[in-house]
Amino acid sequence: MLRFHSYTDAHSPYFDAINRQWITEMFVLEAIDEQVISDPATYVIAPGGHIWFAEHPDLGIVGTCALMKKSPGVFELTKMGVVGTARGLKVGEALLQHVLSQAPSIAYNTLFLLTNRKCEAAIHLYEKLGFRHCPDIMQRFGAAYERCDVAMRYTTPKTA
């Protein structure tokens, strides 16, 4: 059973290592990546963002995900990663569900993410949990990363 933790300074090395691992496996670390993952307290937490971690009972901290405040009421879901040894254990899905369950308590009116079409499994998960492709988000925020070619906005799933 996974446990979820909010960011503390003690979690900073996990945030760096987990994100550094997945980004460098697929892409080149950009300056913005280096800045955010090496100092999350300054670039995510201090401006009003949030970071969560997934802890596996046997493997320890295995995943992380952040909501970075871009402006009042506007948050980017970013730096979501799972260590290689925990892939296939549905950590990403459980972590994303946890983050989305916390999001309503964070006064937001726009929740979006930026990614790359190479991240097929992640995009499928985002779609499954309520994110939709959004040209407006791409136009407004897509230039933040050279690798960005997919922009999605969260739409609260309808309940029956």
Side-chain angles (χ1 to χ4, degrees), residues 18 21-22 62-64 80-88 91-92 95:
I18 291 168
Q21 180 187 52
W22 80 260
V62 293
T64 187
M80 182 171 155
V82 174
V83 297
T85 55
R87 292 192 190 133
V91 172
L95 179 58

Side-chain angles (χ1 to χ4, degrees), residues 55-151:
E55 181 181 7
H56 186 277
D58 300 320
L59 302 174
I61 301 293
V62 293
T64 187
C65 183
L67 291 184
M68 184 182 292
K69 187 175 184 177
K70 304 305 275 185
S71 62
V74 179
F75 287 83
E76 176 185 0
L77 186 135
T78 189
K79 303 300 180 259
M80 182 171 155
V82 174
V83 297
T85 55
R87 292 192 190 133
L89 300 179
K90 302 266 186 193
V91 172
E93 183 169 355
L95 179 58
L96 184 54
Q97 287 174 331
H98 177 75
V99 170
L100 293 175
S101 77
Q102 300 300 303
S105 67
I106 300 163
Y108 80 91
N109 59 37
T110 302
L111 177 59
F112 72 95
L113 61 85
L114 304 172
T115 190
N116 182 283
R117 67 176 148 254
K118 283 172 61 175
C119 302
E120 291 178 44
I123 291 169
H124 177 72
L125 175 61
Y126 300 142
E127 291 170 339
K128 177 181 174 181
L129 295 184
F131 284 88
R132 299 294 172 253
H133 296 267
C134 182
D136 179 58
I137 293 295
M138 178 62 87
Q139 184 177 14
R140 288 171 59 198
F141 300 103
Y145 298 94
E146 286 183 36
R147 66 179 172 266
C148 175
D149 61 7
V150 174

Side-chain angles (χ1 to χ4, degrees), residues 15-78:
F15 189 74
D16 186 296
I18 291 168
N19 281 296
R20 191 173 299 277
Q21 180 187 52
W22 80 260
I23 294 169
T24 58
E25 282 175 2
M26 299 184 75
F27 306 104
V28 173
L29 267 176
E30 296 181 33
I32 186 68
D33 296 316
E34 190 65 56
Q35 191 177 53
V36 172
I37 68 175
S38 65
D39 191 0
T42 297
Y43 293 100
V44 179
I45 302 299
H50 303 269
I51 302 173
W52 292 272
F53 296 85
E55 181 181 7
H56 186 277
D58 300 320
L59 302 174
I61 301 293
V62 293
T64 187
C65 183
L67 291 184
M68 184 182 292
K69 187 175 184 177
K70 304 305 275 185
S71 62
V74 179
F75 287 83
E76 176 185 0
L77 186 135
T78 189

